[in-house]
Amino acid sequence: MSLPQLKNILRAPTFYRLLSTSTACQKSQSGRYRITPRKDLPLTYEMANPPHQIAHRKTWNSINTSNLEGGLRSSETAIEDIFIRKFMTGTWHALFLSEIIIKRQHNIIRIAGIVRRSVSARKMYFLIGYTEELLSFWLQCPVKVELQTVADRRDVVFKYI
Amino acid sequence: MMNISKVALRSRVSRVKLTSQLAGLATTPDEKIEIPKRVPRGPTDILRALESTVGRDPTAAHYKYHDDPYLIPLSNNGKRVFALSQEAGRKAAHWIRREHADLFQHREADPTIEAFVPPMVFDEKSEVAVTDLQKLIKTAQVSDAVVVYKLLKEKGAEVAPELEQGLLELVCYQNCEDGLSDEFIEEKWFKQSQKGKEKLRKTWKDGDFAEQLFMNLPNKTPEAYCAIIQGMAKYYQVDRAVQLFEEAQQNNIPLNTNTYNSLISAVNIMKESFDLRWSLVAQFLNQMKDAKLKPNLGTLNAILAALSSMGNPVGARKYALMTLSQFRELGIEPSLGSWSLVLNTFYKDRGPVSTILHDIINLVENKEHQIRDLKDVHFFVTAMETCRFYLNDVSLAKRIDRLLHHGENYNLIGDSYKESVYYRHYFALLCANLPIEEFMNDVYYKLIPHIYVPEPALMAEVLNQVDVNGAIEYVPKLWSDLVIFDHAHRENLIEMVLNSMTNNEELLTPELNEKFATVGWDIFSRFDDQDSYKVSRMKVALSGDFLGKILLLLARNKEFEKACCVMEKLDRNQQSIAGVPKVEALDKFVDLCIEEKAPSRAIACIQYCVDCGYGEANAMAVRLHKKLTLDEVFLDKLTKIVGDISLAGAKDSV
């Protein structure tokens, strides 16, 4: 241990803060789920696979080319994707059972996911029409919603931990 | 696509020529390789070529619906509701964008895409310019255009005469009303066309903006006269239209062909009898001749439309043929709309049946038709209707259907109402005339449910054909379809299903027996379950006859428990159930009870028979007594029901 560091430690406490400017990686925590004592936390297939399985056992939730070399609008794409996810979970309240998958091809955005059949089909159609139209006004490109429905939320459970 | 194949063909032909010549070593020096001319392509040609390879898949729902079992509509109501719900959602989004226009002012795309930008809102305080008016007229936004025009006038801005003419044409065409936006196609598709109902009613808005604008025009051009007369004639304000027409004639204002056309189509309101109407048509045509105007397709259709709704079918037919031949000489080819009007003229309820439809189909077959007149969308439905009601000709119907599916002709089907009427006629015609197996395999399974969902009357027709032909193997499928299509609460259909299941006993197989019992039990439980009874629109309870038939079906398949349920219901609700079951069903049930060794059930049934007044109760009692050894209690009961004598006789005979 060098002398200045020792000095610092031995110094009397002052109003003194440290700032880390690099992003926290938290590699051992993010995208993973902790085992519960009762082993009753339901996980979908997507949740059950930790991030290092992306492109092996599961795929990305946002599929676009903005982060490839020469890709355009990478920061805008990320912000828009967050907006879309928040919009979807809010508009389709407590209906989505899966992650919201956002696929971009040319100028089209396709939003996919699995929803519960807890509202009638006609309400679902209303929401589809509303979502597609409002998001396309907001993002100013064609937006399509591609849903699959399941009868029960347990249908998407892959395992319990 | 066609061009590509042509080119390929041509080059192949020339190659074949070349090789054959080489083989024969007979090369002539003047033989040249023909290089095909370059075909100019548009930006979307490749997409069109690809699209032409994809047809309608009858096993899948229309692509406007979501491809998910829960979201695929199977009944007519479902199709309508789902598509319109989605459009309602889109409208909600439009509303939000309009209400919060300030939030939607960002510009993502360069150049800006107009469709994503909130619409301009105009009121008394808006700052407007002439270009706004120009844009509004171009996009046919009637009420906004009117507001902007008034604002411009107030401010004293100079509006060019061409712009005023454009505005006048717009308001005359739309009758000062905003039309349905192109954005909402489902609403257009599902809107029941009201035109037929209010056909001859004046809907022109008297003294509204169109007339004011016309009156205030500083110099009234011939175009202005044309616009206002056409508008009035279109919305049946015929008196004023004629008045303006005469005014124009007196002042030597030249009018165009379309104005005459609109007046000709309104002839039936102006005059009463056939002769007067026809002479008026002739008068207009002569005036056109004097004005040296060349008639067009609109003229032809206007004349035919006038003729089709005149009385006197004989005269109308004669004049229709004359008109057609004259227009052929003029080189004006009739559109599909003209043919549908000809059909209306030739096929009336009275009079001999004409065969002109064959000639028409010969003319229009194997061609791709474009829309050339608004009436063109009536052709297919009229042709199929004629085919069903007057000609009853399957091969002709198939030719019409082939024409409809040729190229992009399906665009001419009109709207959802016309489409379903078209298929109703086609379906009914085939149902009545094809062998039942062929009908079910080629038509029913193909068209239903994604392309067409039959109405209750047509389902009755199909059930009837199935019953008549003894093709009872289709009944379970038809019943499940009835349930899906929301027809399962209709008494006449239930009756037909039950009848065809019970009547054709000689055709039964064990498999069918089982299926029929399931269907019977399904019908029974649908009515028995009080909750679903309220939810579904079942008005009536099952009658005694229906219950008897269900009992028979269950007894045939030896489903004792379920049969007992039905019997109990019959027995318990004797007062409330209308009618009584047939005795065969009860007889069968007693046999089943004997087989299952359940004398108490059998005795209850015999009691019920006696209550209903069936003489066969005695025979049943005897049979029960014979087949089963009854203890004292049961014997006592039986004696009480049918009396001593018969039992004694039975005992003797045993």
Side-chain angles (χ1 to χ4, degrees):
Chain A
M1 200 174 284
S2 63
L3 194 66
Q5 275 176 339
L6 199 65
K7 246 187 195 167
N8 264 344
I9 291 166
L10 294 177
R11 203 164 60 177
T14 49
F15 297 105
Y16 178 83
R17 287 283 160 96
L18 290 169
L19 177 71
S20 167
T21 51
S22 58
T23 43
C25 183
Q26 296 185 322
K27 200 168 137 194
S28 56
Q29 281 177 34
S30 62
R32 279 156 226 267
Y33 296 84
R34 207 183 292 181
I35 297 175
T36 52
R38 290 166 186 264
K39 302 250 187 319
D40 59 354
L41 177 68
L43 294 187
T44 61
Y45 180 82
E46 211 275 336
M47 291 154 85
N49 285 302
H52 66 260
Q53 294 290 3
I54 291 175
H56 296 266
R57 285 201 210 143
K58 66 177 193 180
T59 185
W60 292 266
N61 287 343
S62 292
I63 301 173
N64 56 58
T65 56
S66 62
N67 286 319
L68 300 183
E69 197 185 328
L72 301 166
R73 302 178 81 241
S74 61
S75 65
E76 287 94 333
T77 305
I79 301 281
E80 278 173 13
D81 283 4
I82 292 172
F83 177 83
I84 292 171
R85 292 215 164 81
K86 296 230 177 223
F87 182 88
M88 291 304 276
T89 41
T91 308
W92 297 72
H93 183 75
L95 286 176
F96 266 93
L97 297 177
S98 68
E99 301 292 327
I100 291 153
I101 312 296
I102 301 168
K103 304 177 235 181
R104 286 162 192 262
Q105 284 164 323
H106 303 296
N107 66 339
I108 294 181
I109 301 181
R110 295 186 295 144
I111 303 170
I114 302 173
V115 291
R116 238 158 20 114
R117 292 179 191 165
S118 62
V119 298
S120 66
R122 55 191 289 188
K123 286 185 185 169
M124 230 168 243
Y125 269 105
F126 179 89
L127 286 177
I128 291 170
Y130 172 74
T131 311
E132 285 182 350
E133 200 75 354
L134 196 70
L135 281 179
S136 68
F137 290 158
W138 190 256
L139 305 168
Q140 307 208 335
C141 61
V143 175
K144 299 235 169 244
V145 176
E146 295 173 350
L147 298 178
Q148 282 188 36
T149 61
V150 289
D152 188 0
R153 61 163 70 240
R154 279 189 296 267
D155 290 352
V156 295
V157 173
F158 177 65
K159 66 177 181 183
Y160 292 90
I161 59 166
Chain B
M1 198 63 194
M2 218 135 89
N3 285 332
I4 296 172
S5 56
K6 246 188 228 160
V7 169
L9 196 70
R10 208 182 296 161
S11 66
R12 201 180 309 144
V13 169
S14 58
R15 214 178 302 145
V16 169
K17 264 190 207 157
L18 204 67
T19 43
S20 64
Q21 281 162 356
L22 281 176
L25 291 174
T27 40
T28 41
D30 53 274
E31 181 71 25
K32 268 190 282 182
I33 298 172
E34 193 185 318
I35 298 170
K37 283 225 172 68
R38 183 173 178 274
V39 184
R41 309 261 182 225
T44 51
D45 280 9
I46 189 93
L47 290 177
R48 282 180 200 286
L50 284 173
E51 190 266 336
S52 69
T53 63
V54 185
R56 174 88 163 88
D57 174 11
T59 59
H62 191 272
Y63 66 83
K64 70 186 162 200
Y65 301 111
H66 234 73
D67 191 10
D68 182 273
Y70 184 61
L71 299 173
I72 288 177
L74 291 169
S75 63
N76 272 331
N77 191 39
K79 285 182 186 174
R80 188 186 166 85
V81 163
F82 289 179
L84 288 179
S85 299
Q86 181 157 358
E87 201 127 284
R90 295 184 54 215
K91 279 191 175 168
H94 277 260
W95 182 83
I96 288 190
R97 184 181 62 166
R98 209 172 48 240
E99 291 295 302
H100 302 282
D102 51 322
L103 300 178
F104 287 87
Q105 293 301 336
H106 56 295
R107 299 276 185 271
E108 294 283 340
D110 184 29
T112 318
I113 302 166
E114 287 298 321
F116 293 132
V117 181
M120 294 281 278
V121 179
F122 295 101
D123 55 16
E124 288 76 35
K125 280 164 256 160
S126 324
E127 285 293 310
V128 290
V130 179
T131 47
D132 289 330
L133 183 61
Q134 227 160 5
K135 213 191 286 172
L136 288 170
I137 291 171
K138 210 173 164 208
T139 53
Q141 300 183 42
V142 181
S143 53
D144 282 343
V146 171
V147 170
V148 170
Y149 178 76
K150 284 179 180 162
L151 282 177
L152 286 174
K153 280 279 151 184
E154 267 173 37
K155 286 203 309 187
E158 191 68 28
V159 181
E162 302 86 61
L163 212 52
E164 276 184 331
Q165 172 65 18
L167 183 62
L168 180 68
E169 280 171 10
L170 177 66
V171 288
C172 284
Y173 186 81
Q174 295 274 21
N175 197 13
C176 303
E177 282 167 9
D178 278 315
L180 211 53
S181 161
D182 282 342
E183 196 111 17
F184 302 111
I185 47 170
E186 293 307 331
E187 199 175 333
K188 265 193 179 154
W189 173 251
F190 284 104
K191 202 173 79 156
Q192 292 275 336
S193 80
Q194 297 290 326
K195 268 194 178 157
K197 282 176 198 158
E198 47 188 67
K199 201 169 187 178
L200 298 177
R201 206 164 58 83
K202 186 195 77 137
T203 43
W204 175 257
K205 288 184 176 160
D206 286 319
D208 208 343
F209 181 76
E211 282 182 43
Q212 291 166 20
L213 181 61
F214 180 71
M215 289 304 157
N216 295 338
L217 284 182
N219 62 333
K220 297 187 176 55
T221 55
E223 289 80 26
Y225 268 100
C226 289
I228 193 95
I229 293 173
Q230 282 181 68
M232 284 175 173
K234 185 180 176 193
Y235 295 97
Y236 299 112
Q237 174 49 288
V238 282
D239 299 340
R240 303 262 295 116
V242 171
Q243 195 188 330
L244 282 169
F245 174 70
E246 277 160 6
E247 193 180 310
Q249 293 288 68
Q250 277 163 13
N251 300 339
N252 276 335
I253 297 170
L255 299 174
N256 63 15
T257 312
N258 289 341
T259 312
Y260 282 97
N261 296 351
S262 68
L263 286 168
I264 292 172
S265 2
V267 151
N268 283 349
I269 300 184
M270 297 178 200
K271 289 284 188 291
E272 276 306 318
S273 75
F274 179 82
D275 295 326
L276 285 177
R277 282 170 179 177
W278 180 249
S279 62
L280 190 58
V281 172
Q283 181 202 323
F284 281 133
L285 290 175
N286 280 328
Q287 279 166 338
M288 278 175 85
K289 198 176 89 186
D290 295 341
K292 298 207 166 35
L293 284 175
K294 193 173 185 296
N296 57 17
L297 179 67
T299 322
L300 173 62
N301 284 352
I303 298 170
L304 289 174
L307 280 172
S308 74
S309 49
M310 281 183 198
N312 189 359
V314 182
R317 280 175 208 175
K318 193 178 80 188
Y319 287 130
L321 289 181
M322 279 164 62
T323 314
L324 281 170
S325 68
Q326 286 224 346
F327 273 80
R328 187 180 305 137
E329 275 167 30
L330 283 171
I332 293 165
E333 199 199 341
S335 71
L336 287 181
S338 327
W339 294 126
S340 88
L341 291 166
V342 170
L343 289 178
N344 284 341
T345 317
F346 274 77
Y347 295 91
K348 301 258 184 199
D349 287 339
R350 283 164 291 144
V353 171
S354 149
T355 54
I356 197 167
L357 182 56
H358 288 272
D359 307 327
I360 293 175
I361 295 295
N362 285 340
L363 276 179
V364 297
E365 210 172 23
N366 295 329
K367 274 184 211 152
E368 251 190 80
H369 294 272
Q370 298 289 329
I371 187 153
R372 288 157 67 206
D373 189 287
L374 280 180
K375 295 193 186 73
D376 285 5
V377 295
H378 293 281
F379 174 73
F380 286 104
V381 63
T382 320
M384 199 47 94
E385 190 185 344
T386 313
C387 207
R388 177 187 173 193
F389 287 121
Y390 297 96
L391 301 172
N392 203 21
D393 184 340
V394 175
S395 67
L396 191 61
K398 287 193 167 167
R399 280 168 74 191
I400 296 172
D401 196 55
R402 216 176 304 130
L403 175 64
L404 175 65
H405 291 92
H406 185 270
E408 296 193 349
N409 288 349
Y410 205 86
N411 291 344
L412 294 171
I413 191 73
D415 51 33
S416 78
Y417 177 70
K418 291 200 191 67
E419 186 188 39
S420 83
V421 172
Y422 170 85
Y423 277 112
R424 185 194 304 160
H425 293 319
Y426 184 49
F427 201 75
L429 182 65
L430 295 184
C431 178
N433 291 307
L434 286 184
I436 189 78
E437 287 80 24
E438 196 188 332
F439 170 73
M440 290 301 283
N441 290 332
D442 294 355
V443 184
Y444 190 93
Y445 290 138
K446 209 176 127 197
L447 294 184
I448 289 173
H450 292 306
I451 295 191
Y452 169 63
V453 173
E455 292 84 5
L458 266 189
M459 274 320 259
E461 177 82 358
V462 176
L463 281 168
N464 189 26
Q465 284 295 324
V466 163
D467 195 34
V468 167
N469 289 298
I472 48 173
E473 63 272 21
Y474 296 117
V475 173
K477 161 78 179 156
L478 288 175
W479 170 252
S480 74
D481 280 355
L482 282 178
V483 172
I484 290 171
F485 303 156
D486 243 356
H487 300 332
H489 57 283
R490 285 170 199 267
E491 207 179 341
N492 63 329
L493 293 178
I494 295 176
E495 189 180 354
M496 294 183 92
V497 170
L498 283 173
N499 280 348
S500 48
M501 286 195 298
T502 47
N503 289 347
N504 300 295
E505 202 170 352
E506 65 285 354
L507 299 168
L508 278 180
T509 60
E511 253 169 71
L512 273 183
N513 231 342
E514 198 184 323
K515 280 186 185 162
F516 284 1
T518 322
V519 172
W521 182 246
D522 187 33
I523 297 175
F524 177 74
S525 41
R526 247 160 224 290
F527 279 86
D528 201 38
D529 186 5
Q530 282 302 315
D531 293 335
S532 70
Y533 185 86
K534 269 177 215 151
V535 175
S536 63
R537 293 155 288 154
M538 295 183 185
K539 293 282 184 305
V540 286
L542 284 179
S543 70
D545 187 38
F546 285 9
L547 286 171
K549 279 172 181 154
I550 295 170
L551 186 67
L552 179 62
L553 292 173
L554 292 168
R556 266 191 204 158
N557 198 37
K558 315 239 177 290
E559 299 198 23
F560 183 59
E561 299 280 309
K562 290 175 181 171
C564 286
C565 277
V566 179
M567 191 63 226
E568 247 171 53
K569 187 177 168 84
L570 269 172
D571 203 17
R572 216 174 336 109
N573 307 324
Q574 274 189 44
Q575 308 304 325
S576 59
I577 290 175
V580 287
K582 292 231 172 63
V583 73
E584 294 85 40
L586 300 167
D587 204 48
K588 204 86 183 177
F589 179 67
V590 171
D591 283 348
L592 182 63
C593 291
I594 294 170
E595 207 170 287
E596 296 279 336
K597 301 202 171 24
S600 59
R601 297 277 186 195
I603 290 170
C605 180
I606 293 168
Q607 169 75 62
Y608 180 76
C609 284
V610 173
D611 293 347
C612 295
Y614 283 127
E616 287 86 345
N618 279 2
M620 290 181 202
V622 171
R623 212 162 56 234
L624 175 65
H625 185 58
K626 227 196 297 187
K627 297 268 172 71
L628 291 180
T629 37
L630 301 172
D631 62 17
E632 284 300 311
V633 186
F634 287 131
L635 266 182
D636 266 4
K637 269 194 191 164
L638 212 52
T639 323
K640 264 182 207 155
I641 298 167
V642 292
D644 254 338
I645 310 142
S646 64
L647 262 188
K651 264 177 196 164
D652 287 349
S653 72
V654 173

